[in-house]
Amino acid sequence: MPGLASAGDDTTALAVRALKAARGQFVSGEELGRALGLSRNAIWKQMETLRQLGYQVQSIRGLGHRLVDVPDVPLPWEVMDGLATRRIGRPVWYMDTTTSTQDVARHWGQVGAAEGALVVATEQTSGRGRMRRPYFTPRGGLWFSLVLRPARPPLDILALSLAASLAVQEGIRAASGLTAVLKWPNDVLLGERKVAGVMVEFDGDQDRLHQAVLGVGINVNLDAEAFPAELRDRATSLKLELGRPLPLVPTLRCVLEALDRHYERFLEGGSEAVCLAWRSAPNMLGREVRVISPPDTWEGTAVELDRDCALLVRLASGDLRRVAAGDIELLPGVERLSPRA
Ligand code: BTN
């Protein structure tokens, strides 16, 4: 696939590692040639490739090559070096631009990519959200999809989506110190505004999931003006809340590491384990909500999550109504949690 940088780009990864190991000092072309199994000429070309990827490399004849700066781009080796996960983010494919990482991940999954394989893009031209709605994914955010093959019944898909939103919440906290709030089923909010969303698309039959593609979108460094007018009141970014940009690669790693833990828990304990974790994380329970579940729209208080991760809403009559699918709007109310830790 054109424009795809994969963990299999061994020479590029080796070149970056060899330069990083020198900690800002020059490495001779001869030494690099030995480490990479390349001629000196090929090393000059390799340095050019690194520059095209955004690395600042100083090359001086007689002295060699020295790494001056590393781009904040989720290139496979930048994401994977030091990544503390068992299966999530192994391997990584990176693209500058694609239509939707969901489609790329689904394809790679179907042709045998390992479980946990990650597809990440700097921008998407046809990003989509739940229910195939268009999703805004310009430069400055983290947009990625994971190939998963959970040995769980298709009914557990809702729990997988909740587990992923818990992981995003945890990753955001680790990377930024901000405490986000979970809004059932798949939104992550700062204050009342959406900062991230997750979705799961799957291929399977009634009894078994063959493959699930988990999609995650996080508004990391988006500026207020970047959002289309219709999103400005409802969306935010980590940069807007923090008042400074956050580096993408460390943020991605924090989220992947949290996903690894939450995915493991989901595999072992299914919906019930996810539901327990979700209930004890900062969430929207207790809020007045509008439930939009076409053709119905109704209001009540979100009171609980049941063991299948469906939302229980108390009506004015006192009756409880169970919501297993649909959209929730939070009605104006007292903000229960401050975004700052
Ligand atoms: C939602 O809130 O409705 C889910 C949003 C998921 C967006 C991500 S961005 C990466 C991946 N590729 C897509 O086209 N969508 C998901």
Side-chain angles (χ1 to χ4, degrees):
M1 227 173 250
L4 200 68
S6 82
D9 287 347
D10 288 339
T11 312
T12 308
L14 283 176
V16 171
R17 286 184 193 126
L19 290 171
K20 279 186 178 174
R23 300 178 176 276
Q25 301 301 308
F26 280 97
V27 189
S28 71
E30 199 180 329
E31 203 178 317
L32 279 174
R34 263 200 311 274
L36 275 66
L38 295 177
S39 69
R40 279 214 210 173
N41 260 350
I43 290 291
W44 278 85
K45 279 194 194 140
Q46 183 61 53
M47 295 303 117
E48 208 37 57
T49 304
L50 292 189
R51 287 187 195 97
Q52 278 163 16
L53 288 169
Y55 290 87
Q56 271 185 48
V57 182
Q58 188 183 15
S59 299
I60 298 183
R61 287 205 190 273
L63 275 179
H65 311 272
R66 156 179 114 81
L67 188 60
V68 179
D69 204 8
V70 174
D72 182 31
V73 175
L75 293 160
W77 44 90
E78 295 297 340
V79 176
M80 288 177 75
D81 285 356
L83 180 69
T85 62
R86 259 177 49 143
R87 62 179 118 199
I88 298 296
R90 302 177 179 280
V92 173
W93 282 288
Y94 166 75
M95 278 162 298
D96 181 68
T97 304
T98 189
T99 48
S100 163
T101 55
Q102 289 295 105
D103 296 332
V104 182
R106 181 165 184 244
H107 167 79
W108 283 107
Q110 284 169 340
V111 297
E115 185 181 44
L118 169 78
V119 178
V120 56
T122 288
E123 75 177 327
Q124 301 180 118
T125 52
S126 311
R128 61 176 179 269
R130 271 194 332 134
M131 303 179 197
R132 300 190 81 86
R133 293 180 186 132
Y135 202 80
F136 181 61
T137 54
R139 289 177 180 269
L142 277 172
W143 322 119
F144 65 88
S145 302
L146 288 161
V147 177
L148 300 176
R149 298 194 186 88
R152 305 275 337 165
L155 265 180
D156 277 1
I157 279 293
L158 177 57
L160 175 56
S161 167
L162 263 62
S165 62
L166 268 161
V168 171
Q169 179 188 49
E170 228 172 85
I172 285 178
R173 195 195 310 237
S176 69
L178 295 170
T179 301
V181 173
L182 300 175
K183 175 171 159 266
W184 187 94
N186 70 327
D187 291 350
V188 181
L189 311 180
L190 281 171
E192 301 278 300
R193 292 167 192 230
K194 179 161 171 167
V195 72
V198 305
M199 67 194 271
V200 180
E201 294 175 327
F202 64 95
D203 298 310
D205 49 44
Q206 271 187 328
D207 308 318
R208 209 170 68 88
L209 287 172
H210 298 301
Q211 172 172 292
V213 177
L214 168 68
V216 178
I218 308 176
N219 302 337
V220 181
N221 290 328
L222 274 60
D223 291 313
E225 318 77 69
F227 290 102
E230 69 275 13
L231 290 183
R232 268 182 215 158
D233 293 342
R234 292 187 281 129
T236 188
S237 72
L238 296 177
K239 180 181 175 186
L240 285 171
E241 299 298 328
L242 276 175
R244 63 178 161 85
L246 262 190
L248 292 176
V249 174
T251 305
L252 176 59
R253 276 215 218 106
C254 288
V255 175
L256 295 177
E257 287 169 4
L259 273 166
D260 202 61
R261 292 190 294 273
H262 282 276
Y263 185 55
E264 210 65 41
R265 182 184 2 217
F266 163 75
L267 290 178
E268 279 165 19
S271 293
E272 218 166 326
V274 174
C275 162
L276 278 176
W278 197 96
R279 282 181 189 152
S280 52
N283 62 54
M284 41 79 83
L285 293 181
R287 290 290 303 261
E288 298 299 305
V289 295
R290 179 172 299 126
V291 181
I292 303 157
S293 177
D296 283 352
T297 295
W298 43 279
E299 291 176 10
T301 310
V303 285
E304 198 41 292
L305 217 59
D306 73 9
R307 49 195 292 172
D308 295 323
C309 290
L311 184 67
L312 301 179
V313 178
R314 193 175 301 285
L315 305 177
S317 64
D319 291 345
L320 274 186
R321 206 160 151 183
R322 185 173 185 274
V323 188
D327 281 323
I328 302 293
E329 269 176 21
L330 296 184
L331 297 176
V334 183
E335 206 176 303
R336 288 192 318 155
L337 290 155
S338 138
R340 276 166 222 290

